Amino acid sequence: MARITLDNLAHSYKPDPKGEEDWALKQLDHVWADGEAYALLGASGCGKSTLLNIISGLLQPSRGRILFDDKDVTHAATAERNIAQVFQFPVVYDTMSVRDNLAFPLRNRGASAGYVAERVQTIAAMIGMEAELDRKARGLTADAKQKISLGRGMVREDVNALLFDEPLTVIDPHMKWELRTQLKALHRDFGHTMIYVTHDQTEALTFADKVVVMHDGRVVQIGTPEELFERPAHTFVGYFIGSPGMNLLPANVTGATAVTNGAEIALDRAYDGLSGKVEIGVRPEFVRLSDSEGLPVRIRRVEDVGRHKIVRAEFFGHDINIVAGEDEEIGPDKTRVTFDAAHVNVYADDWRVEGRAA
Ligand code: ADP
Ligand code: MG
């Protein structure tokens, strides 16, 4: 197992990159701690696979270095890096049995027959394919083949890191949950450094200790699920995580007061000399409906989603979503909203500003 350091890393698929937009991966410096489980979360096209393939050695970065512990592996071949990688779509040997597919990475490294047999059995149980071990992979469903790919990724105990690139895309929803649980168990038992790529926030938040959020070729925040929820470092994190995502309103902020469309909002912290595009962000969970105080809103729709209600409101052309209690009465007198001051974040040009004690 290893600590993985990305030092001044950047990548462009173009031979002669010019502007920002030519870089699929903008400059990145980050240390992946040994033995930690990370999720790499972001929308399609933001650079997740590019980053993963650079770590595994399938891709050479245009700039920067990769270290495994203190060893520079930037130019080392994939095999030398001793990494297991599982892709979005199955990679199996059709003519081999399920058993031989699972055993392949172990035999390839010269493991003893006894160990191979035992380990293959354990993995087959984890992916729920004990009954199919002697079948040929050919003719199995895409779903089953992907389970074999996952099993192959998990079979070796001595890898430096395990990389998963949206591995559950073709798996049916019920089995997804089951396999994710197995991956978590594997991490608990062996403590591998794991990087799990997904565009699904639920998957990321349930799998990982730390979530790395990418947007537009950049890592915009690395944090625990709580940190991403409480203090989104970038408006993208606020919008992408949560359902619905964080509300954003353009505002003028001076000291501990924000003014938006003539309405004043008290803040918990004070801000000086903000410039650029200034916005306040507040998650729907921290917005309350009121009949007498706060910003005037027009309620457009109320959605009952079981444990709570989502109220879709509008404030001078800006959407404001509110999470209301299951039993909360939402009558015509509810014409205003207030924000919980402790949970209002301030952004300048999309980045969160820390502010000072007010
Ligand atoms: P993700 O995995 O987050 O969906 P990718 O890392 O696959 O994103 O892609 C990041 C960007 O790089 C995208 O704009 C994509 O079109 C581009 N890209 C990916 N692979 C290649 C490639 N082989 N050649 C050129 N551009 C690529
Ligand atoms: Mg990808």
Side-chain angles (χ1 to χ4, degrees), residues 43-50 53 88 165-166 197:
S44 172
C46 72
K48 304 181 296 295
S49 295
T50 301
N53 293 341
Q88 197 166 358
D165 195 348
E166 314 214 29
V197 169

Side-chain angles (χ1 to χ4, degrees), residues 33 45 57 97 111 126 168 196 228 273 308 311 316 357:
S97 65
M126 289 179 79
L168 305 182
Y196 185 99
L228 301 179
H308 56 256
V311 183
F316 293 106

Side-chain angles (χ1 to χ4, degrees), residues 20 24 47 51 89-90 96 98 125 128 157 164 167 179 181 200 214 279 287 308 312 318 323 329:
E20 278 257 288
L51 178 53
F89 299 103
M96 287 188 192
V98 174
E157 299 172 73
F164 299 95
L179 287 173
T181 309
D200 177 333
M214 283 185 76
E279 291 167 293
V287 182
H308 56 256
R312 309 272 180 185
H318 299 285
V323 169
E329 276 301 329

Side-chain angles (χ1 to χ4, degrees), residues 187-238:
H187 181 254
R188 205 177 44 236
D189 295 346
F190 291 106
H192 289 115
T193 309
M194 279 192 187
I195 306 177
Y196 185 99
V197 169
T198 176
H199 62 269
D200 177 333
Q201 56 162 315
T202 311
E203 226 172 87
L205 299 175
T206 53
F207 172 77
D209 312 322
K210 284 250 174 70
V211 181
V212 177
V213 186
M214 283 185 76
H215 176 52
D216 230 354
R218 220 176 238 113
V219 169
V220 287
Q221 187 167 9
I222 300 171
T224 61
E226 292 72 25
E227 285 162 348
L228 301 179
F229 183 78
E230 295 273 336
R231 290 178 297 284
H234 189 276
T235 54
F236 177 78
V237 179

